[in-house]
Amino acid sequence: MGTQSVWNRSPLQLLNCFLILALSLPTNALYFYTEGLNPKCFYEELPKDTMVAGHYKAEQVDSNKAAINNPDLKIQVTVDEVFDNDHRVVNTKGGATGKFTFSAADSGEHKICFLPSIPGGGGWLSGGQVSGAIRLTLDLAIGETSQIESTDKSKISEIVQKVKDLNGRLHDIRREQVFQREREAEFRDQSESTNARVVRWSLLQLVVLGITCAWQLSHLRAFFIKQKLT
């Protein structure tokens, strides 16, 4: 009875169930084809505060059904909250290979869409401009313990290490600045001490010169007085 109720569902519901089961396995990749102006979208029911991380790779399919890497191919990824009047939470555009991450702010259905384009090639892809379809391989993981998020931890560790190195260099620069300020203060103290000694020596010279002048004047005065008396 349970099996019969499952098969009595509509094809769209079965497809949604298949997508949910496929996407819930972080080690499995899902690929699909898109062609023309219409984006390829699928829906995912997410609980609140759920982390979603995805890697994608887009390849152009020629007439022989062979996948070809096109360096000019761009992929626009959008994520809309269906329960919140299609409020867009992600709108990013990258190369043929890229990744995207987002966290569900509230529980509800989310729509994830992919739209390919070629800049400078006449706008969005159409059948008359690009031969063949676009094969897009998607590796989507849901939850903080997903495989994709664990592989990103190495990159986060590298960034943390770079930040630590920058902090170390910043500390070195600060120590050098403190040392330079101490040297400047020492040089300033020496300059002020030298200037004070120069001023004192100049004053001493003026005093000696004044005393010498006064002595010479008194001596000359006594000499002239003596000469008049004689």
Side-chain angles (χ1 to χ4, degrees):
M1 183 68 178
T3 305
Q4 185 177 2
S5 62
V6 170
W7 291 110
N8 287 335
R9 295 185 178 181
S10 64
L12 181 58
Q13 291 177 336
L14 293 176
L15 179 60
N16 290 334
C17 293
F18 172 76
L19 288 176
I20 294 174
L21 291 176
L23 295 177
S24 63
L25 298 175
T27 57
N28 293 337
L30 174 69
Y31 69 91
F32 51 87
Y33 294 89
T34 179
E35 186 174 5
L37 299 175
N38 297 324
K40 192 71 174 182
C41 301
F42 60 91
Y43 296 84
E44 184 67 32
E45 189 77 21
L46 298 175
K48 183 179 180 180
D49 297 330
T50 300
M51 178 70 69
V52 178
H55 286 182
Y56 65 86
K57 179 181 180 181
E59 298 173 302
Q60 184 176 345
V61 180
D62 59 9
S63 58
N64 297 325
K65 296 184 178 181
I68 303 174
N69 292 325
N70 189 347
D72 297 329
L73 183 61
K74 305 295 181 181
I75 299 296
Q76 182 181 8
V77 182
T78 60
V79 179
D80 299 332
E81 295 176 341
V82 179
F83 60 90
D84 192 13
N85 295 325
D86 290 336
H87 173 251
R88 182 153 296 179
V89 295
V90 175
N91 186 10
T92 179
K93 189 174 183 180
T97 302
K99 64 180 181 178
F100 63 95
T101 58
F102 70 95
S103 179
D106 292 309
S107 301
E109 193 174 37
H110 292 70
K111 182 175 68 173
I112 305 175
C113 298
F114 299 87
L115 184 60
S117 67
I118 296 181
W124 296 105
L125 295 176
S126 61
Q129 296 170 352
V130 178
S131 60
I134 298 298
R135 170 174 170 166
L136 199 145
T137 303
L138 176 63
D139 192 358
L140 190 66
I142 301 174
E144 296 182 355
T145 59
S146 63
Q147 180 181 3
I148 294 179
E149 185 176 353
S150 62
T151 57
D152 290 339
K153 290 182 179 179
S154 60
K155 297 182 179 179
I156 297 177
S157 301
E158 293 178 359
I159 295 175
V160 171
Q161 185 62 37
K162 289 181 180 179
V163 171
K164 291 181 179 179
D165 294 339
L166 290 176
N167 287 332
R169 295 180 181 179
L170 182 60
H171 290 318
D172 294 337
I173 294 173
R174 288 179 177 175
R175 284 195 296 266
E176 182 67 22
Q177 290 177 346
V178 172
F179 176 73
Q180 292 296 334
R181 284 196 294 267
E182 292 177 354
R183 292 288 301 272
E184 290 176 358
E186 183 180 356
F187 178 76
R188 183 174 60 253
D189 294 339
Q190 291 179 355
S191 299
E192 292 177 354
S193 177
T194 303
N195 293 333
R197 286 196 297 267
V198 170
V199 170
R200 287 195 298 267
W201 178 249
S202 299
L203 293 176
L204 181 61
Q205 286 179 338
L206 291 175
V207 171
V208 173
L209 183 60
I211 294 172
T212 303
C213 292
W215 180 80
Q216 287 181 350
L217 290 174
S218 62
H219 180 72
L220 289 174
R221 182 180 179 184
F223 175 76
F224 289 138
I225 292 172
K226 186 178 180 180
Q227 289 293 330
K228 289 181 180 181
L229 293 176
T230 58

